[in-house]
Amino acid sequence: MEMDDHKRRRNLILYVLIAILVYMVLSTVLFPNIKTGGMEVEDVTYSQLLKDLDRKKVDEIRYTTDDAQALYTLKGEEKKAYRTTTMPTDVDLTNRIEEAGAELKVTIPEQDSGMWLYLLITFAPIIIFMLLGWWLNRRMKKAMSEDNPSMDFSGGGFGGFGGGNLGKSGARIVASKDVGVTFKDVAGQEEAKESLKEVVDFLENPKRYEDIGAKLPRGALLVGPPGTGKTLLAKAVAGEAGVPFFSISGSEFVEMFVGRGAAKVRDLFKQAKEKAPCIVFIDEIDTIGKKRDGGGFSGNDEREQTLNQLLTEMDGFDNQKGIVVLAATNRPDSLDAALLRPGRFDRRVPVELPDLAGRKAILELHSKDVKTQPPIDLTAIARSTPGASGADLANIINEGALRAVRLGKTRATQEDFEESVEVVIAGQQRKSTVLSDHEKQVVAYHEIGHAIVAARQKGSAPVTKITIVPRTSGALGYTMQVEEDERFLTTKQEVLDKLAVYCGGRAAEELIFGEMTTGAANDIEQATKLARNMITRFGMSEEFGMMALGTVQNAYLNQDTSLTCAPGTAERVDAAVLKLISEAHERAMQLLKENKFKLHELAHYLYKKETITGEEFMNLLSRENPLMPKA
Ligand code: ADP
Ligand code: MG
Ligand code: ZN
C-alpha cells in the first residue's frame, strides 16, 4: 500500500501532539520546580530576610552564588519557602546568618547537583522526540510490509527526523522476488509485452548483447490512457527479469525545497548503480518532463533542474551494467523533446485501451479469484464496455462481487456484473431520488425517444437496456446501446445516425409534452462535440472537406480539440455545427412522429417497469400495435 501525503501528514501531527503531551506530563510530574523541591515559594524582599534572621526564625538558607538568589525556610513551616533575588554579597550577612543559628548552604554552580537534572530537562524532550520518531517509523515500516510485502516504506517523510535519511531519494527499493507481478498478471497488451520482452531478455543476459555489440535502449516510455496497466507492465518487467525495481512517481520529485528534486534523481541513480542490473521506473514522468519554456520567469526552476539532472544521469551511466529506465505517461505530447532523444526514452511502448479480446482477457483474469455462479458470460460484459480501461474492468468485477455480498449471496452472478457495468459507467442506482409522477413520465418518453430513433435507423447500435432508475451521477435514466462487434471505423452515415439518436430524447419531450426540460443537457453536449468533430477532424462536411480545422490537445485524456483556423472560419464552423444538429433533430422528430403510437406504448411500459431489456423493447416495438391503424 502506498502511503499518501495525507496520511503522512496526519501521522506527523499525531506524533508531534504525543511528544508535546509527554513532555508536559514529564516536566510537571517528574521534574517539579527543582530548585524549590516542590515547595510553595513566596518572593520576599531582602529586608524581609534580614527581619526573619533577626527574629531567629530562619531554619535553612540555600544560597546560589551565580544568580544571587537565596531560598530559605522558616522554622515550623515545612511546606513553604521564601525567595529573595537581590542578595548583596556581603560578608556581614554570613555572620548574621550564623548568629541567627540558621543553617547555610552555599551552592557554587559547577558543583551543582541539580545540573544533571537541568541537563535532563533540557535534553529529555529531544531524546523523547527522537525515540518516538524512531519507534513510529519502525512501526509504520512493519505495518506497511505486512500490508504488502512488495513495497518498502519510502523514506523522506518521517525517516528524515532521525537524521541520516534526509538526503535519500525516497525511492522504493523492492527486492525482485517481492514485486510479485509477472507478464501473466497483465492480460491483453500483447504488443506491449512483446517489446518489453526484449528488455527482460537484456536484463537476464546482458552478456549476449554486449558480445554482439548491440546497444539496448536505456529507456522505454510507456504511453497510453490512464488505467491501461502501464505501472503494472513496468512491475511485470522487473518481476520477469528477477531484478530490483526502483519506483518513484514524477510528482514526488517536485518538492517544496529547491534542489531536492535534483538531489533525489542523483540519489536514485546512485542506488540503482549499486543494485544493477535493475529497473528504474518513473511514473507520471510528465510532471517533471514537461516541455521547458524558452526562458523568462517560468517559476518552475525546480522542475527544470530535476529534468536536467535526469537527462544528465541517463547520459551518464554506462549501460553494460544493465540499468533500464522505464517511464510512464498519459501525456506524451507534452514531453520535452530532449527526453525522447536517442539514448534516452527513444523506445515508445504504446499501451492502448483494450479491444474486445483484451477486455475479455482482463475480465477473465480478474474474475479468477471471485466465486461465481454459472452461467457467466464475460464476452457479453466485454462487449458492453467499449472504451473501458483495464482498471475500469478490474473495478467492474470487484463491484460485482461487492454487490453479491451486499445482497447476501455467496457467489456473484452475471446479473451482478451487468449491474456493476452500469455502476462504473453511469454511477450507483439512487433509489432515494423521488421523481414526481410527471417527471417520471417525461424521463420515460425521453429514453424511449432515444431508443426508437436508434431502432429505426440502420446505422445505430442495438439497444440493450433502457432504465429510468436515477443514478448517483445525476442521470435520471439512460438507454444503453452496444455494438455487435468491435468498431474501429465509423462511416459518415453512422455518425449522422448517432447524432439523431442523441436528439431523440429531447424530440420526444417536445412531441408529447410540447415543452423542454433540462434533462437533455448531456445529450446536447455529446451531440455538439460529435458534430464539431465531424467538421473539424473527420472531414465530413461539404463546406470544408478534408481541411483540418483543429488539433487534438490530449490524445489520451479527454481529446480536447482546439481550433486552428481564422476567427471568420470559426464562425462558419459554428454555423455548420448548428446546421448538422438541427437536421439531426429534424430527422429524430420525423421518426418519432411516424412511430408515435409505439412511443406511447413503450413509454407506458417503461414507466411501469422502470427497467426493460433490449429484447423486451424490440419485441414490443415489432409487435403489431392494436391501437395503430393498419398500414
Ligand atoms: P496505469 O499505470 O496505466 O494508469 P495501472 O497499471 O495502475 O494503470 O493499472 C491499474 C489497475 O488496473 C491494475 O492494478 C490492474 O488491476 C488493472 N489493470 C489494468 N490493465 C490491466 C491488464 N492489461 N491486465 C490486468 N489488469 C489490468
Ligand atoms: Mg500508473
Ligand atoms: Zn437523453
Side-chain angles (χ1 to χ4, degrees), residues 254-256 258 287 290 292-305:
V254 184
E255 286 201 344
M256 267 191 309
V258 178
T287 21
K290 268 195 224 114
R292 289 167 288 190
D293 358 317
F297 303 99
S298 64
N300 241 329
D301 246 13
E302 171 64 6
R303 215 198 64 215
E304 211 157 290
Q305 272 184 31

Side-chain angles (χ1 to χ4, degrees), residues 454-455 460-465 480-484 614 618:
S460 295
V463 172
T464 52
K465 179 168 181 172
M480 200 158 133
Q481 286 173 270
V482 175
E483 294 285 356
E484 260 154 359
M618 284 315 291

Side-chain angles (χ1 to χ4, degrees), residues 446-447 450 505 519 523:
H446 177 110
E447 296 308 331
H450 284 305
D523 299 334

